[in-house]
Amino acid sequence: MATAGVALGQRAVPAQGHPILKPPRLREGDVVGIVSPAGATFERDRLDLVIDAVKALGFVPEVAPHALARYGYLAGTDTERAADLNAMFADSAVKALLPIRGDWGSARILPYLDYDTIRANPKVLIGFSDISALLLGIYAQTGLVTFHGPHGITSWRPEQVEPLRRILINGEALTYRNPLLGADQDRLMRDQGRLQTITPGQATGPLLGGNLSVIAGIVGSPYLPDTTGAILFLEDVGESPYRIDRMLTQLKLAGVLNGLAGFVFGQCQACGPGQSYGSLTLEEILRDHIQPLGIPAYGGAWIGHVEPLWTLPIGGTLTMDAIAGTLQMQSPAVV
């Protein structure tokens, strides 16, 4: 197998050079803090749904004081939302933080978080979409491994719950590959979750990434970790191809793509060209920006606004295979 751009054993250094911290593994009966760091939850039954999910997972829910607060489209003011996260990290009884939803607003609270307290009290933080800003910002400022995975109002079906349990409770190191879904289970060829190898090869490095729009919004700040030697994954939803092109160009011009060990693009839901005349395709855009890097790269990974949602360790060391389309954890992400 070709191994173009192989980079074994490299590590990305968090922004302030802190050592990598892994949170303690979860146990049934642990307290899970339900927080709302981004968009407002307008209906009480959405919070009740998350409470039910946490109980069904075998944990004890603790709702943050401002979980149902509202400041326009945000779940309270920036200081209120940050205060909830700071309090949850400071509370030794709380073992994990689960946001209700994403939407927008996580980046706004990054300057108000108490990173010394977070570093002194490592615990599981999980979410996706807008929560990417928190996952990356906290990792950059503290070295704490965070988790790109379900937030509260996702489906919590067995195919999503089982790997989460194996990673966060059992402390297993998993290999991720696209699931075989729906009608594809009894047909000769795959339709959903098809892979496109951009550049063949394998690479090993810390996994960084998340929502492309969110990452583009924190470029140039101290809340985006150093991506040198990392495997970068990106996903998005509801973005026209020219906007994906523009944001990848921003990452390229800012040097975020320089020195990567590998690259993975996930799913881009509702990202078609619509009625635009002569639009570039997503495949062409990825080829233009990523292929010249000469590193192992592939697209179509089952990462993004799709279900089942994978639980991926941000800052954990993984090995990617751009032909097989796999990501393999090299060690447990919890201690």
Side-chain angles (χ1 to χ4, degrees), residues 44-244:
R44 169 74 202 204
D45 75 326
R46 298 298 89 187
L47 173 59
D48 292 340
L49 186 103
V50 179
I51 292 172
D52 289 348
V54 169
K55 290 179 178 178
L57 288 166
F59 303 123
V60 177
E62 180 172 325
V63 179
H66 301 100
L68 288 176
R70 190 177 73 80
Y71 175 63
Y73 43 73
L74 299 169
T77 65
D78 294 345
T79 53
E80 287 173 339
R81 301 194 320 280
D84 280 356
L85 266 72
N86 289 334
M88 288 292 183
F89 270 104
D91 187 345
S92 61
V94 175
K95 305 303 181 184
L97 280 72
L98 177 68
I100 298 173
R101 62 189 314 125
D103 294 334
W104 157 248
S106 296
R108 290 180 53 143
I109 70 172
L110 290 173
Y112 304 104
L113 296 181
D114 184 345
Y115 295 104
D116 289 337
T117 295
I118 293 172
R119 191 181 307 114
N121 298 276
K123 54 191 68 177
V124 169
L125 170 66
I126 187 169
F128 77 108
S129 192
D130 187 73
I131 307 302
S132 299
L134 286 180
L135 305 179
L136 292 168
I138 287 175
Y139 172 72
Q141 290 294 311
T142 69
L144 176 62
V145 173
T146 55
F147 296 90
H148 186 277
H151 54 43
I153 57 172
T154 54
S155 69
W156 297 110
R157 294 188 177 93
E159 60 269 25
Q160 181 168 289
V161 172
E162 181 190 3
L164 180 143
R165 287 185 181 279
R166 292 176 64 188
I167 292 168
L168 298 182
I169 296 179
N170 298 347
E172 298 181 41
L174 301 189
T175 297
Y176 306 85
R177 52 175 52 87
N178 283 13
L180 200 60
L181 299 171
D184 287 347
Q185 294 176 350
D186 60 359
R187 64 167 68 178
L188 296 177
M189 68 293 189
R190 177 190 288 268
D191 183 21
Q192 298 184 76
R194 292 182 67 85
L195 298 169
Q196 305 91 38
T197 299
I198 300 169
T199 304
Q202 297 178 331
T204 296
L207 185 70
L208 299 176
N211 182 264
L212 173 57
S213 299
V214 172
I215 291 173
I218 61 173
V219 165
S221 78
Y223 307 110
L224 183 64
D226 180 3
T227 55
T228 304
I231 297 170
L232 178 67
F233 73 92
L234 300 171
E235 61 82 25
D236 221 312
V237 60
E239 297 288 357
S240 301
Y242 84 90
R243 293 175 61 87
I244 299 295

Side-chain angles (χ1 to χ4, degrees), residues 14-57:
Q16 305 301 326
H18 301 293
I20 303 301
L21 291 173
K22 294 182 179 181
R25 70 179 62 191
L26 300 182
R27 293 173 172 79
E28 293 209 8
D30 278 348
V31 175
V32 171
I34 299 174
V35 293
S36 197
T41 299
F42 294 95
E43 299 168 321
R44 169 74 202 204
D45 75 326
R46 298 298 89 187
L47 173 59
D48 292 340
L49 186 103
V50 179
I51 292 172
D52 289 348
V54 169
K55 290 179 178 178
L57 288 166

